Amino acid sequence: MTLPAAPDASTALPGAADLWKPVLVRAAVALVFGALTVFWGAPSAAGMGWAGGAYLLATGVVLIWSVQKAGFQTGPPAGKILSAAGAVLTGTGAAVALIPGGLVFGTIAALGLGLAAAAELYLGITGRGRSVLARDWIASGVIGLGTAAALPFFTDLGPHALLGVAGGGAIISGVLWALAGLTLRHDARGNSAEAVN
């Protein structure tokens, strides 16, 4: 049995040559947040709210940016799904930052992460063979759903535990998105070099 070849980064999605930019920015946002949660020994509830809110808000904005870079805004329904996921994360981030507290973080952040992860998982499953990001969306969706499912169980353990759970998921997804972004960048450079020759 032969597996189908992976789609070429320059033809799988309109605008895919620039798709590596939001993917790498998303990776950087996740890794910075993850590193913050590792090294911040005693965060307050307000600090947890602002840090977690900024992470969710920035991830939502980057998702919306990736819709534009991928050329989804005029094309397939994937753009609407990603835009909705980005909007949910942006709103969730604002709510978590403005209403700090363990219960709020454990429920609202979990809800936002879960909805966005479910959207990515759906896009990954339906986009297999058509999108260069399908496998990454599946992995990111599974990681996000796992993080969202775990967060409510840590609401009573305080900000450090909640940030640790969210940061752990962020580190794993950040590494995933960094690899995806670097691969897309390499493919885009290779395709532009071939076009010149």
Side-chain angles (χ1 to χ4, degrees), residues 67-189:
V67 170
Q68 180 186 25
K69 284 295 183 184
F72 279 151
Q73 67 272 22
T74 58
K80 293 177 183 173
I81 294 170
L82 272 180
S83 294
V88 165
L89 281 178
T90 303
T92 301
V96 167
L98 296 174
I99 312 169
L103 184 60
V104 171
F105 192 90
T107 55
I108 293 180
L111 182 63
L113 280 171
L115 289 173
E120 285 189 322
L121 187 60
Y122 171 78
L123 289 174
I125 291 169
T126 59
R128 291 178 76 180
R130 292 185 314 218
S131 173
V132 294
L133 292 178
R135 282 182 267 170
D136 303 308
W137 281 330
I138 290 172
S140 182
V142 170
I143 294 164
L145 286 173
T147 304
L151 272 174
F153 295 104
F154 290 84
T155 55
D156 293 334
L157 299 179
H160 190 263
L162 285 166
L163 281 177
V165 171
I171 289 171
I172 295 168
S173 66
V175 170
L176 164 83
W177 287 114
L179 292 172
L182 292 172
T183 301
L184 286 170
R185 184 170 187 235
H186 177 267
D187 291 348
R189 281 190 168 191

Side-chain angles (χ1 to χ4, degrees), residues 10-80:
S10 64
T11 60
L13 297 171
D18 279 344
L19 188 56
W20 62 270
K21 294 174 184 176
V23 171
L24 281 180
V25 170
R26 181 178 180 181
V29 167
L31 290 172
V32 166
F33 174 70
L36 175 72
T37 64
V38 169
F39 295 110
W40 195 357
S44 64
M48 171 191 65
W50 282 107
Y55 164 63
L56 295 171
L57 187 114
T59 303
V61 169
V62 170
L63 273 179
I64 293 169
W65 180 33
S66 66
V67 170
Q68 180 186 25
K69 284 295 183 184
F72 279 151
Q73 67 272 22
T74 58
K80 293 177 183 173

